Amino acid sequence: MRVSTIAQTVALAMLLNPSLGWPGMNKTLHDLLSGEASDTEANNGDSHGLLGDLATLPDSSLTPVGRSIKNILTGTGSGQDAASTARGATPRLGSAACRADTCCTWAHIAADMSNSFLGKAGRCNSLSRASIRLGFHDAAGWSKSTGGGGGADGSLILSGELSRPENNGLQEVCAFVTGLYNRYAPHHGNLTVADLIQMAATVATVTCPLGPRIRSFVGRRDSAVPAPPGLLPDVNSDADTLIRLFGDKTISPQGLAALIGAHSTSQQRFVDPARAGDPQDSSPGVWDTTYYRQTVGTAPPRVFRFPSDVNLAGDPRVAEEWGVYEGDQGRWNEDYAREYVRLSLLGVENINALTECTEVLPLARSAFVAPDQEVMDRWLNSTEHSEGVADAVFNGDLVVGLKRLWGS
């Protein structure tokens, strides 16, 4: 049962029977309802700890955006936007009307990103998936125990963190983000690399078929100070190490189970170079729950499972939630969106001053049928490496024209 549900149940019981109360009960209820419960309580369900300035500001000082973010962090607000109509016409970049609207330049940026993230087959491509990974790696370089520094501050690009081994493979997307900054900064006086990284991650997620439209905020500050080392997960980690690592980032085991599902769209390149291009489920480039089923169950030969994912999936602290995600796309999308909002705000100290620009994101796609599924299935069930197919999938392109690789 989630913490917020427990609190509501207890509150209702007290209303019906006041004798159920005890000294200090009001403080306990406040902690539960506000999301300020202890780490132990939070780790029994969703992540609920407050972040940045929201941890100290009274409700009376919160802006509408600050209040919305607090609701997301404490589990009383949704982390995804279910809009069914797109933003209206966007003023011309650089025009007076565009300069007067904080989100206008972001609308142009998001359109630029989305066009770069979608392949010809309708799947999200390798640049899209790298953008999601970049968002994780920049933000996750923060923890409570390191006493500040790091987080969603752009330091992965601005401080030389890209040279760290765990960031190998992010060179292309870092160049892409840098190019966007150089293009759009003259039109947006407060543009930051930190915001570009996180916007790229949320645009990429919803560009992937079936991905959620994650609520997106701008106004982060950049930092050229490197994040503390050793704060990113390793593909060979055991479950205890992963849960402890993310717990120190205020993310519960359940939250971690939701976030790790981003591997649904990916193809590995560096863990086993001999199998470069092998996906982590049988629907690469599609944001679906196949990953949860195939990490613990049977999967085609080409599916590559990280040891850390298998270890986490089997841990009793996440196994139940993992099983729920296997068959519930809506539940996973909702949980992922909420947890990603949290991740994207790690190390951000001015949360109350942020602006919401979710409106600039593409609309979510709730259905997808791969136009080349038959050939994709033949590739997934083969044991022969095909660089041509792997590259086509990396680019989100059709693989229909590659049947000849199997002699047909």
Side-chain angles (χ1 to χ4, degrees):
M1 183 181 291
R2 300 176 184 231
V3 172
S4 57
T5 306
I6 297 171
Q8 292 162 4
T9 302
V10 174
L12 178 61
M14 285 189 63
L15 179 65
L16 296 174
N17 186 356
S19 65
L20 292 175
W22 63 83
M25 178 63 161
N26 288 338
K27 172 66 166 59
T28 302
L29 280 174
H30 174 268
D31 288 348
L32 287 167
L33 292 169
S34 67
E36 296 168 357
S38 69
D39 287 344
T40 301
E41 291 167 324
N43 283 347
N44 287 332
D46 298 336
S47 316
H48 284 95
L50 292 176
L51 299 170
D53 51 353
L54 297 188
T56 56
L57 288 172
D59 284 350
S60 59
S61 297
L62 296 182
T63 63
V65 170
R67 186 169 290 106
S68 291
I69 294 175
K70 181 174 182 178
N71 289 340
I72 296 170
L73 295 179
T74 57
T76 60
S78 177
Q80 66 175 330
D81 180 81
S84 58
T85 56
R87 170 189 165 104
T90 302
R92 179 177 54 84
L93 184 67
S95 66
C98 196
R99 287 193 298 270
D101 177 0
T102 301
C103 295
C104 176
T105 302
W106 283 107
H108 289 279
I109 293 171
D112 203 340
M113 290 175 171
S114 188
N115 288 336
S116 299
F117 291 160
L118 191 63
K120 296 176 182 177
R123 293 183 285 263
C124 53
N125 59 24
S126 61
L127 186 61
S128 174
R129 298 190 290 269
S131 294
I132 296 170
R133 183 176 172 228
L134 176 62
F136 268 80
H137 281 218
D138 191 48
W142 177 92
S143 69
K144 293 182 293 183
S145 62
T146 53
D153 60 5
S155 61
L156 194 153
I157 291 177
L158 298 172
S159 74
E161 290 174 36
L162 184 57
S163 63
R164 294 177 179 178
E166 61 266 31
N167 293 323
N168 193 22
L170 294 176
Q171 289 78 7
E172 179 186 2
V173 70
C174 286
F176 173 74
V177 170
T178 301
L180 290 174
Y181 180 85
N182 292 336
R183 177 179 177 184
Y184 290 102
H187 304 288
H188 193 291
N190 297 318
L191 189 65
T192 66
V193 172
D195 282 340
L196 279 168
I197 288 173
Q198 295 308 321
M199 184 66 76
T202 56
V203 171
T205 300
V206 74
T207 298
C208 293
L210 311 186
R213 196 172 194 243
I214 302 170
R215 294 178 67 180
S216 301
F217 304 91
V218 298
R220 296 170 185 81
R221 299 164 180 156
D222 278 343
S223 173
V225 178
L231 296 181
L232 296 180
D234 184 88
V235 296
N236 294 304
S237 291
D238 58 63
D240 279 338
T241 299
L242 291 169
I243 289 172
R244 184 168 57 251
L245 178 69
F246 279 83
D248 203 25
K249 304 180 195 299
T250 77
I251 294 172
S252 70
Q254 178 176 304
L256 175 56
L259 287 173
I260 204 169
H263 287 165
S264 168
T265 67
S266 74
Q267 291 168 267
Q268 74 85 30
R269 287 187 287 174
F270 304 110
V271 178
D272 184 351
R275 294 184 58 182
D278 282 357
Q280 289 183 254
D281 72 14
S282 60
S283 54
V286 181
W287 190 276
D288 62 14
T289 60
T290 306
Y291 162 83
Y292 287 99
R293 295 191 296 275
Q294 293 184 344
T295 298
V296 296
T298 58
R302 294 241 69 89
V303 170
F304 189 98
R305 293 181 273 207
F306 287 171
S308 55
D309 293 11
V310 175
N311 294 338
L312 184 67
D315 188 273
R317 288 164 287 188
V318 304
E320 181 177 355
E321 197 71 9
W322 196 283
V324 170
Y325 294 153
E326 287 182 29
D328 195 334
Q329 180 82 36
R331 170 69 174 272
W332 173 45
N333 277 358
E334 176 61 33
D335 286 1
Y336 180 91
R338 183 184 57 253
E339 296 295 338
Y340 194 82
V341 170
R342 169 177 295 279
L343 183 77
S344 74
L345 296 172
L346 295 182
V348 178
E349 296 299 329
N350 62 324
I351 296 175
N352 196 45
L354 300 183
T355 299
E356 181 165 7
C357 286
T358 307
E359 65 188 53
V360 308
L361 270 62
L363 296 178
R365 290 187 286 165
S366 59
F368 176 74
V369 177
D372 52 359
Q373 192 62 56
E374 179 185 354
V375 184
M376 179 75 77
D377 288 342
R378 295 181 69 181
W379 173 62
L380 290 164
N381 284 287
S382 70
T383 55
E384 178 184 350
H385 179 69
S386 170
E387 187 175 344
V389 177
D391 286 348
V393 178
F394 266 128
N395 296 327
D397 290 341
L398 291 164
V399 296
V400 172
L402 300 173
K403 288 185 179 181
R404 65 184 182 279
L405 292 171
W406 291 278
S408 60

